[in-house]
Amino acid sequence: MAPDAMTFASSLSDAQPVAFWLDDPAKPAALPALTGDEHCDLLVVGGGYSGLWTALLAKERDPGRDVVLIEGHEVGWAASGRNGGFCAASLTHGLGNGLARWPGELARLEELGDRNLDAIEEAVARHGIDCDFERTGEIDVATEPYQVAELAEMHEEAQRHGFDGLELLDADAVRAEVNSPTFLGGLWDRRGVAMLNPAKLAWGLKDACRGLGVRIYENTRGLELAASGAGMAVRTPYGRVFARRVALGTNVFPSLVKRVRPYTVPVYDYALMTEPLSEQQRAEIGWEGRQGLGDVANQFHYFRITADHRILWGGYDAIYPYGGKVSAELDHRPETYLKLAGHFFRCFPQLEGLRFSHAWGGAIDTCSRFSAFFGTAHGGKVAYAAGYTGLGVGATRFGADVMLDLLSGERTERTELEMVRSKPMPFPPEPVAWAGIGITKWALARADAQGGRRNAWLRAMDRMGLGFDS
């Protein structure tokens, strides 16, 4: 092993193979599993953000509605407890993706996204959810000269469409915020992103739901969905739930509506967490604004500082398992951890000697348009939302509202959106999906190495509306 690689490896020697957020003594005990039969007005399947927001908003809309939520493991254990804690207003996976797909309604989507983030902030305060919520914004940073020009173009495009919440930073300005010799420029969204502790948000939403009367059963997997009289029935390992309406918030896991499954694939993402920084180390990097950061390469990193002054560093590798199967074996990937550690110390060489306390991974539900899609089944008695592609911390609350609108049969400003009425391109079956995703990953890495130039394959994928992202 080369000397640099040995240094990077030694920084990982004490890293615990568990998500930092879930390694918390305050983690609540699991609730009992469902045994026997249950009856309710609304059944929510899935105890991540998507399901929790749906249950909470359903009770807030109609306190008399009888709501049950089932979760296959424990609330918040999957993507909702493993992500970076970036809670973004964007519903479209960024301004550029929104302009490419829904230019005619982007202004309304941006407004709805802003309102959604405001509502999350208000709900956190109203329910007393202690999740370290900080409305710090996020800076997209350029680490290559061509990316400086790309950020300037995006800033100009945003202004041309009337979005004035972005601030363009030169190298000195961005390094004044966070000191890295690799930063050549930045684009700061000051209000559109909040930082938070993702597991504590999930646990807080769980408590809020129970406080409003939602009955939650953990370690209760939904196995089969079928019509039952005027409503629906979901079979579980030890019982059944009979409900008038069902909302599916299963995201990366196989949908109980089988025709939805080709629209998503699991992509495994990985992250490291450092030990707490000393006062001297904190002074060397600055970061007093505590913004989230992300570089703008195709194979990108996201990073942020926590309430106890650790740095989370994640992203870059996006691993697709053949056949699209979700497996606990893929939750850890030492070769990716080593790669991420090397990238970290190149970004922050002044932190040499810092060690990582945790290293983990998890699956993201990815769709070809990088942002959520929605729909109904069984004559409108079942609604689903999926495909958040890494932006689910904030957008799942919007998706919960959409599902409730669809189940009620209401025509709302949300259900009238083209984004809500349309679907992404489905992924092809294997082995075509495996080959196509592999070629796309190779092409994205090549574009990063060649000044951002997209080859014929990527241009063809762009025209078809197919993508691959984490």
Side-chain angles (χ1 to χ4, degrees):
M1 187 179 288
D4 280 350
M6 290 178 63
T7 300
F8 303 151
S10 66
S11 71
L12 293 161
S13 61
D14 297 322
Q16 297 298 306
V18 63
F20 169 77
W21 314 110
L22 298 174
D23 187 21
D24 188 331
K27 177 183 175 183
L31 296 170
L34 172 67
T35 56
D37 290 348
E38 259 281 20
H39 295 80
C40 59
D41 296 321
L42 173 66
L43 170 64
V44 179
V45 181
Y49 297 139
S50 190
L52 291 165
W53 280 119
T54 303
L56 184 68
L57 292 175
K59 291 295 286 185
E60 289 181 344
R61 289 187 181 197
D62 179 3
R65 180 161 27 192
D66 189 23
V67 180
V68 168
L69 183 151
I70 61 172
E71 160 56 40
H73 189 47
E74 295 182 23
V75 161
W77 76 278
S80 296
R82 298 167 187 253
N83 62 82
F86 288 62
C87 185
S90 177
L91 305 175
T92 62
H93 214 279
L95 190 64
N97 194 50
L99 283 170
R101 299 183 187 278
W102 304 287
E105 63 184 26
L106 185 62
R108 186 160 27 143
L109 287 167
E110 290 291 300
E111 179 190 356
L112 287 168
D114 289 342
R115 283 161 45 188
N116 184 64
L117 182 55
D118 289 343
I120 292 172
E121 184 172 19
E122 188 275 333
V124 165
R126 177 160 45 89
H127 292 289
I129 299 175
D130 180 16
C131 63
D132 303 326
F133 188 100
E134 297 180 277
R135 195 81 172 256
T136 59
E138 179 179 4
I139 302 176
D140 291 333
V141 295
T143 58
E144 297 288 344
Y146 77 88
Q147 296 169 0
V148 176
E150 288 182 351
L151 290 180
E153 290 172 8
M154 181 54 66
H155 182 247
E156 183 179 340
E157 187 83 355
Q159 290 185 316
R160 186 161 54 247
H161 286 82
F163 306 122
D164 56 3
L166 304 179
E167 180 180 349
L168 193 63
L169 306 176
D170 63 17
D172 289 340
V174 71
R175 290 177 189 175
E177 295 296 331
V178 184
N179 182 23
S180 168
T182 67
F183 294 172
L184 304 179
L187 190 61
W188 188 358
D189 180 352
R190 285 183 173 270
R191 291 285 299 165
V193 183
M195 296 292 105
L196 52 77
N197 180 314
K200 286 185 176 180
L201 174 62
W203 300 335
L205 290 172
K206 173 183 174 180
D207 287 343
C209 286
R210 297 185 72 202
L212 293 180
V214 177
R215 299 192 299 287
I216 298 177
Y217 297 95
E218 294 181 278
N219 294 305
T220 301
R221 183 181 170 200
L223 300 175
E224 184 180 16
L225 173 71
S228 177
M232 302 298 301
V234 171
R235 183 170 60 85
T236 70
Y238 307 128
R240 295 171 298 176
V241 183
F242 297 91
R244 292 179 56 249
R245 298 289 183 268
V246 177
L248 300 178
T250 49
N251 296 325
V252 77
F253 298 99
S255 177
L256 292 177
V257 177
K258 291 182 180 179
R259 61 180 164 82
V260 176
R261 295 179 185 179
Y263 289 101
T264 61
V265 295
V267 173
Y268 277 80
D269 180 58
Y270 299 91
L272 306 176
M273 185 72 84
T274 73
E275 63 189 356
L277 274 63
S278 67
E279 287 190 17
Q280 180 180 345
Q281 288 168 328
R282 287 158 54 192
E284 288 174 347
I285 62 170
W287 217 338
E288 294 181 4
R290 304 179 57 77
Q291 308 94 331
L293 293 115
D295 61 57
V296 294
N298 291 307
Q299 291 184 287
F300 63 91
H301 305 87
Y302 56 88
F303 40 116
R304 49 80 57 95
I305 197 160
T306 66
D308 60 348
H309 309 296
R310 302 168 184 263
I311 296 175
L312 179 144
W313 180 267
Y316 194 79
D317 274 348
I319 305 302
Y320 168 70
Y322 184 87
K325 293 182 180 179
V326 178
S327 170
E329 294 178 4
L330 295 171
D331 285 348
H332 298 286
R333 198 166 190 266
E335 59 266 46
T336 293
Y337 300 152
L338 187 61
K339 188 184 299 181
L340 286 173
H343 296 170
F344 176 88
F345 288 111
R346 281 194 285 276
C347 182
F348 295 119
Q350 65 270 50
L351 297 181
E352 182 181 354
L354 190 66
R355 300 175 71 82
F356 296 101
S357 63
H358 295 76
W360 72 95
I364 294 169
D365 61 324
T366 298
C367 74
S368 62
R369 72 184 193 186
F370 305 159
S371 52
F373 63 92
F374 314 90
T376 60
H378 292 276
K381 290 180 285 190
V382 176
Y384 57 83
Y388 290 95
T389 318
L391 251 67
V393 181
T396 44
R397 185 192 175 281
F398 173 81
D401 263 331
V402 171
M403 284 196 284
L404 292 172
D405 289 351
L406 293 172
L407 289 173
S408 71
E410 295 179 63
R411 291 181 61 179
T412 69
E413 61 180 337
R414 290 177 288 264
T415 62
E416 293 299 295
L417 292 167
E418 180 188 350
M419 176 191 181
V420 170
R421 292 184 288 107
S422 64
K423 294 284 194 300
M425 288 281 290
F427 289 94
E430 299 292 11
V432 179
W434 170 261
I437 289 172
I439 293 170
T440 302
K441 287 180 62 180
W442 169 83
L444 290 171
R446 186 175 176 84
D448 284 339
Q450 295 187 340
R453 292 188 294 276
R454 297 174 76 81
N455 64 13
W457 175 267
L458 292 179
R459 293 195 300 271
M461 294 297 100
D462 292 341
R463 288 192 298 272
M464 294 173 61
L466 283 167
F468 184 74
D469 189 38
S470 65

